[in-house]
Amino acid sequence: SLFVIRQNEKSLIIKGQKLYKRDRILNSAQGKAMLLLEDGTIVALEEGTELSLYEVSNVPISLYKGEALLEVTKRATGEIPFIVQTQDSVITVLGTIFSVRVNKTNTRLDVYEGKVQLQRTKDNRSTEVGENQFLHSNDPALKVSHEQQQDTNIPINTVIEVLPTDDAYIENNRKYNNRNLKVEGGKRDIYLRFEVNSVGPIQKAILQLTQDIDIGQGTLRFYAGSHSGWSENSLGRDGAPRKKELITKRKGGVYRKETISVDLSSHIKGDGAYTIIVSLDEALARDIWFSSKEGPAPPKLLLTPAENSL
C-alpha cells in the first residue's frame, strides 16, 4: 500500500489522487508504486521506499530510504534542472533515466540513459555518471563503474520455455537490436520471432515480457505478424512483417522489473515459426522498455502441450 503523511496525518493513497508539495510518501514493504509529477516525470517506488515532494522549494524529490527509478522529462537549455536529494548527496539532471538507492550510509546512483551529476554533501565533491554506469557516495574517490550484464539463465519449469530466435524494435524506420525492446505509441513497435519445434498440439501459450529500465503505462496490443521470414539483423520497415490480426491486449501500468503475461493460445496452436508484433496505444500512454534476449530477462513463450502430445 501507498501512504501519504500530510500535516502529521497518515492516510492511504488511492489511484489518481492528487499530491501536494511537502507531502511525504511511504511505500509499504509489500508493493510497488508509480508517481506522475506535474512536469511529466515518472517516479517508480520500490518496496519500503520513503520520499517527500518539494520538501525544499527547488528539490522535487527528497529520498530518505529505499530505491526509486526516475524518468525525468528533458529540460530545454536554461531551464531549472531536476534535483534529487538524499542524506549525503545532491543529484542533478536535465532529463534522463536513472535510479537512486539509499540506506543510512550510502547513496547508489545508476544511470541508464543520459548523464547525471552527483555531488557529495560533506565535501562538495562531484562526479558525472554516464549511460550504463553507477557509483556509490561512500566511495572516497567517487569512482564511476560500468554495469555488468546480469545472469540470463532461465529456470526449467513444468511447461516448455521457448526463447525468441530474433527480437528487435523499429523506431522512425530504423531497426534497433540491443538489450531493450522499446514500445511507444505511433513511434516504436516490438518484433518477436519464435520457433516452436517438436512440441505438437499446444493447449496453452503464454508470452512473458519483463520490464527493463523504463516503466510506463497504456494499452499494449499483441498482433500476429504477416510472415516470419526475417531476422533481427535484416529487419527493416520495408521488409518488416505487417500487423495481420489482433491476438490480445493488456491495459495498465508496467512497473519496475515487473513481468507481464499475455495469453496467445488463440494464435499459437502447434509447431512452426511465429512472429508477434507489440504496439502501444498513443492516447494517455507512456513508453515502456522491456528486456530483449540480450538483456537480463529475455522474452519467453511458456507452452503447455496438449495431453498425449509428447
Side-chain angles (χ1 to χ4, degrees):
S1 299
L2 192 65
F3 296 91
V4 59
I5 298 176
R6 183 182 299 153
Q7 297 179 345
N8 296 322
E9 293 187 4
K10 181 178 178 181
S11 61
L12 187 66
I13 297 176
I14 61 175
K15 185 177 180 179
Q17 179 177 335
K18 185 175 181 179
L19 301 173
Y20 298 91
K21 291 182 178 180
R22 299 186 182 277
D23 279 352
R24 182 169 287 217
I25 313 301
L26 306 173
N27 195 26
S28 75
Q30 298 181 349
K32 299 184 180 184
M34 185 188 302
L35 303 178
L36 178 62
L37 303 189
E38 194 171 36
D39 69 347
T41 292
I42 293 180
V43 184
L45 285 66
E46 290 293 305
E47 300 171 353
T49 297
E50 180 177 346
L51 58 79
S52 67
L53 304 174
Y54 288 97
E55 189 69 29
V56 181
S57 61
N58 66 335
V59 179
I61 299 293
S62 296
L63 183 60
Y64 302 109
K65 67 176 181 179
E67 181 177 3
L69 174 77
L70 296 95
E71 179 184 355
V72 175
T73 301
K74 287 182 170 55
R75 266 65 171 159
T77 303
E79 279 194 284
I80 298 174
F82 191 97
I83 295 174
V84 177
Q85 183 172 289
T86 71
Q87 84 283 354
D88 64 5
S89 302
V90 175
I91 296 163
T92 305
V93 59
L94 291 174
T96 189
I97 301 172
F98 62 99
S99 68
V100 183
R101 189 180 312 163
V102 172
N103 60 35
K104 293 180 179 179
T105 61
N106 182 53
T107 294
R108 171 168 171 152
L109 171 64
D110 291 75
V111 177
Y112 305 110
E113 184 178 85
K115 292 182 180 179
V116 178
Q117 177 181 283
L118 181 143
Q119 183 176 29
R120 189 163 51 201
T121 307
K122 68 178 182 180
D123 58 7
N124 290 326
R125 184 164 186 166
S126 64
T127 299
E128 188 176 84
V129 185
E131 187 170 315
N132 296 320
Q133 295 180 336
F134 69 93
L135 64 72
H136 293 272
S137 65
N138 61 6
D139 175 13
L142 280 186
K143 180 182 178 182
V144 173
S145 301
H146 288 269
E147 293 284 1
Q148 295 182 348
Q149 187 77 309
Q150 300 181 40
D151 183 12
T152 60
N153 290 331
I154 296 178
I156 297 175
N157 296 322
T158 55
V159 297
I160 298 172
E161 295 183 351
V162 179
L163 300 183
T165 59
D166 301 87
D167 60 7
Y169 70 93
I170 289 179
E171 176 181 349
N172 296 331
N173 298 322
R174 181 179 175 185
K175 178 262 298 181
Y176 292 84
N177 177 30
N178 49 43
R179 69 171 275 169
N180 294 119
L181 296 170
K182 304 179 183 181
V183 61
E184 183 174 0
K187 186 178 180 181
R188 300 165 171 162
D189 287 335
I190 293 171
Y191 292 78
L192 304 166
R193 184 184 185 278
F194 293 92
E195 286 191 2
V196 179
N197 297 309
S198 303
V199 177
I202 293 171
Q203 177 181 337
K204 181 173 286 188
I206 302 297
L207 172 66
Q208 289 192 337
L209 297 172
T210 300
Q211 184 275 336
D212 182 38
I213 299 179
D214 192 8
I215 59 176
Q217 61 184 352
T219 299
L220 290 162
R221 296 182 184 269
F222 298 82
Y223 294 89
S226 58
H227 68 84
S228 295
W230 62 277
S231 72
E232 59 189 26
N233 295 321
S234 64
L235 183 66
R237 177 65 71 184
D238 293 338
R242 302 184 313 279
K243 297 171 184 174
K244 186 177 179 181
E245 61 182 276
L246 179 66
I247 305 171
T248 188
K249 60 184 178 179
R250 178 195 183 274
K251 183 178 181 181
V254 180
Y255 297 90
R256 188 162 191 213
K257 300 178 183 177
E258 180 181 6
T259 298
I260 66 168
S261 299
V262 293
D263 193 339
L264 305 183
S265 303
S266 63
H267 176 61
I268 298 177
K269 297 290 190 180
D271 294 347
Y274 295 90
T275 290
I276 307 299
I277 303 172
V278 187
S279 68
L280 184 66
D281 286 2
E282 295 185 55
L284 303 176
R286 298 284 305 197
D287 67 321
I288 306 168
W289 296 11
F290 293 105
S291 173
S292 72
K293 65 184 180 65
E294 289 81 18
K300 55 186 174 182
L301 276 178
L302 304 182
L303 304 176
T304 303
E307 291 185 13
N308 303 320
S309 66
L310 290 180

